[in-house]
Amino acid sequence: MSTKQTIAIIGATGNMGSAIAKSLSKSNNRLLLFANHQDKVKSVVDEIITGNPSAEVEAIACPVNASWEADIIIFAVPFAAEKDLAKAINEVANQKIVISISNPLNETYNGLITAPDTSAAEELQKLLPNAKVVKTFNTIFAANFASPVIDGKQVDAFVAGNDEAAMETVSELVKTAGLNPIVAGDLSVSRTLENMALLLIRLTMKYNYNWLAGWKVLHN
């Protein structure tokens, strides 16, 4: 059994945030859920408890309080919302793992709004200099958390970061979500991962994968 963690999910009512919350609630971790609409957060909490009465999950009314109590903070918010959120939690995120799941897509989904020499995760690390930012879940669609095996194969979730211990902890979390973790490299690898997400979204729209698709590295 992996070490029990307290995990704050900021943006817990969005497609990704709620899917991650439901997925991680099956573990022995404690979940603190925050989003701007408290009534919607309570609905997610109720849904989780209904499905799993022993789940440790609660709605928290303030992202700073949720982050202060947490060992791991998951930013399940759009890239555009990260700057203000990072500013708010900067002090309480000191030495904590912060997971970046966002993809800085443009409005037409045909490119990224970040410069080629950076990524959403690296920008977040600049905003939270004392936190350990780790990129993961960004190449995963929300539906993958309920169905992490597609065509008989477990979907891969890539992990990138500058802190080895943090990446190990996050890899365990990825396994808890039913996905296969692959440590891809340092945080700069997020540039590639965010482009992989863009490609997967474009392919899904082109070939109508129904938002149930994922990356798999095949090897022997």
Side-chain angles (χ1 to χ4, degrees), residues 141 197-214:
F141 291 151
L198 173 66
L199 177 59
L200 188 61
I201 288 166
R202 292 187 61 130
L203 291 173
T204 298
M205 290 159 75
K206 182 176 166 72
Y207 295 109
N208 196 17
Y209 296 150
N210 227 357
W211 300 102
L212 191 58

Side-chain angles (χ1 to χ4, degrees), residues 17-203:
S18 59
I20 292 169
K22 287 167 195 168
S23 180
L24 296 182
S25 69
K26 300 182 190 94
S27 65
N28 66 330
N29 295 310
R30 176 173 172 239
L31 302 184
L32 306 176
L33 309 186
F34 169 81
N36 289 330
H37 299 287
Q38 275 296 291
D39 52 335
K40 288 184 183 172
V41 182
K42 289 190 173 70
S43 298
V44 175
V45 171
D46 291 344
E47 201 179 326
I48 288 170
I49 301 283
T50 302
N52 177 11
S54 63
E56 264 196 86
V57 55
E58 58 191 283
I60 300 279
C62 164
V64 179
N65 290 349
S67 302
W68 179 75
E69 281 193 59
D71 304 301
I72 299 171
I73 304 160
I74 300 178
F75 268 45
V77 297
F79 176 62
E82 289 191 344
K83 199 170 186 176
D84 288 343
L85 181 57
K87 207 176 284 182
I89 70 150
N90 186 17
E91 281 183 34
V92 295
N94 193 19
Q95 295 310 306
K96 292 183 179 178
I97 295 171
V98 175
I99 295 178
S100 160
I101 74 164
S102 73
N103 291 305
L105 305 168
N106 66 17
E107 284 177 15
T108 48
Y109 298 130
N110 66 353
L112 302 177
I113 58 172
T114 40
D117 64 345
T118 189
S119 62
E122 289 167 283
E123 291 306 302
L124 187 57
Q125 183 66 81
K126 285 179 203 163
L127 295 167
L128 298 170
N130 300 315
K132 300 164 188 174
V133 172
V134 176
K135 189 83 190 179
T136 197
F137 294 147
N138 76 295
T139 59
I140 305 297
F141 291 151
N144 295 142
F145 290 96
S147 308
V149 175
I150 300 173
D151 190 29
K153 297 170 193 71
Q154 190 184 26
V155 176
D156 290 335
F158 302 94
V159 179
N162 295 334
D163 185 288
E164 291 293 331
M167 284 197 289
E168 211 168 291
T169 300
V170 170
S171 294
E172 284 303 315
L173 209 59
V174 168
K175 283 182 195 166
T176 300
L179 299 155
N180 178 52
I182 296 182
V183 173
D186 67 25
L187 204 58
S188 68
V189 176
S190 301
R191 301 167 200 176
T192 302
L193 298 183
E194 289 167 16
N195 272 294
M196 284 170 70
L198 173 66
L199 177 59
L200 188 61
I201 288 166
R202 292 187 61 130
L203 291 173

